Amino acid sequence: MAASTKAVALFKRTLALSPPRCPGGGQRCSSSPLSLPGGRRRGGSRLLHQGSPPGACPASPRFQQPVSPLLCPQDVLSDGLKTCYRYLNQTSRSFAAVIQALDGELRHAVCIFYLVLRALDTVEDDMTISLETKVPMLHDFHSYLYQPDWRYMESKEKDKQVLEDFTTISLEFRNLAEVYRDVIADICHKMGAGMAEFLEKKVDTQHEWDKVWSRYAKKLSDLTKPEHIDMAVQCMNELITNALHHVPDVLTYLSRLKNQSVFNFCAIPQVMAIATLAACYNNKQVFRGVVKIRKGQAVTLMMDATNIQAVKAIMYQYVEEIYQKVPSTDPSSNKTQQIIVSIRTMSLPNGVEVSRNHYSPIYLSCAMLLAALSWQYLRAMSKASEEYVQASEN
């Protein structure tokens, strides 16, 4: 009986992926362009917000043509915002979903924030841009947000559209509330300066050594050579260890979030990250091919990471996985084990291990089937959202 209840709970959680109907029986819609399980509590089907969520469309008659979950028929997005959401879905797979699940105006602000930083990152990544051109661009990029005509047409990167059509992105940036503009411009300024600093900077101090991979190889490309595989893995293990030092702050920050959609937005990338770090740690395959978490695993993490205790359990699970792989001969093994002990302590309320639910094989199989179906649903909805925006523009 208990197992059946758990299976039903799993099924209900997957139903949360389906966008709610407009109040009044109209076509399905959502307060966000793509519905995710953010509006539901883990293990149940109760909506977090009773009644119409912010931005939900009012009661409306049924329409003859199908409506994408991106918008309610009454939602009003500028042509520029529609374009920005299309760019968001084209340039990000992991962040696009969680950004579009945010509530109200915060969704638009974070969408623009992401695209601004994606454009900045595209400049840094483009090796066809000379340093004489790139360094000033990185320093000045935050100022381009206030220049209506600025765009860059010479990039060869795959995401070059965010630079070629930066006029649209910067326009929507200027349409945001001042509180959002100030944060975006400030972070863009700091990131651009940091990127420019290390394009030409010579590393001299121990503090600076802590910011680069260069203690393990003279050139980054050396790390891909078979004869350097051991040094490459040691370099990666140290980088992962450095990343793990952020986990305690992550857990503290997440524990203070009260809005469910904001919590999901922050938590989902963190659990994806820790799972990816666990898959990469001490794994030579990283330098021989592609290492990433499975799609079913990703969907399960998205569905689970809806409260702080669940996130702590996920963190505990994956740092334990890393702990079991720490080689005694690794130069950073002591640091790795020490930070894992700290994470364990934060993940164990009153010294009792937080555990994720375990299901019998038959129900676990059902759960994985539902997870796979949910993943396909998300892909279909994302594609439908993009097609709807394109149709609206035409």
Side-chain angles (χ1 to χ4, degrees), residues 248-365:
D249 288 337
V250 166
L251 293 176
T252 298
Y253 182 82
L254 290 175
S255 69
R256 297 173 180 174
L257 297 178
K258 305 304 179 185
N259 180 284
Q260 186 69 53
S261 74
V262 173
F263 182 90
N264 292 353
F265 168 77
C266 295
I268 289 173
Q270 301 305 322
V271 296
M272 297 287 192
I274 193 68
T276 302
L277 292 179
C280 291
Y281 184 83
N282 207 47
N283 187 351
K284 295 181 179 180
Q285 186 59 32
V286 171
F287 300 94
R288 296 169 177 164
V290 178
V291 174
K292 58 184 180 180
I293 60 178
R294 302 182 306 277
K295 291 181 179 179
Q297 184 181 3
V299 172
T300 300
L301 290 170
M302 291 174 66
M303 294 169 66
D304 279 354
T306 56
N307 63 74
I308 186 60
Q309 292 306 321
V311 171
K312 286 182 176 181
I314 293 169
M315 292 291 185
Y316 185 95
Q317 171 188 334
Y318 286 110
V319 296
E320 280 299 300
E321 184 177 316
I322 293 174
Y323 189 86
Q324 297 302 320
K325 296 194 293 185
V326 176
S328 59
T329 57
D330 191 274
S332 57
S333 60
N334 288 337
K335 292 181 181 179
T336 309
Q337 292 168 339
Q338 288 171 7
I339 185 57
I340 288 177
V341 169
S342 298
I343 297 170
R344 278 176 178 167
T345 302
M346 291 193 71
S347 302
L348 302 178
N350 300 320
V352 179
E353 180 178 344
V354 178
S355 62
R356 299 172 70 186
N357 289 331
H358 294 278
Y359 305 102
S360 62
I362 185 171
Y363 291 108
L364 184 58
S365 298

Side-chain angles (χ1 to χ4, degrees), residues 69 90 267:
Q90 290 173 350

Side-chain angles (χ1 to χ4, degrees), residues 367-388:
M368 293 308 297
L369 175 60
L370 290 171
L373 292 173
S374 300
W375 182 266
Q376 293 300 322
Y377 178 87
L378 283 172
R379 292 181 61 189
M381 290 302 97
S382 180
K383 182 178 180 181
S385 298
E386 185 173 339
E387 291 174 350
Y388 179 79

Side-chain angles (χ1 to χ4, degrees), residues 206-257:
Q206 179 64 40
H207 178 68
E208 291 168 345
W209 273 111
D210 288 338
K211 299 180 181 180
V212 295
W213 48 267
S214 59
R215 78 175 69 167
Y216 293 93
K218 292 183 179 180
K219 296 186 298 182
L220 187 60
S221 59
D222 288 344
L223 297 177
T224 64
K225 297 178 180 178
E227 61 268 28
H228 295 153
I229 188 67
D230 291 336
M231 292 294 287
V233 171
Q234 290 175 5
C235 176
M236 177 178 63
N237 287 351
E238 182 171 357
L239 292 174
I240 291 175
T241 298
N242 290 342
L244 290 176
H245 279 83
H246 295 292
V247 173
D249 288 337
V250 166
L251 293 176
T252 298
Y253 182 82
L254 290 175
S255 69
R256 297 173 180 174
L257 297 178

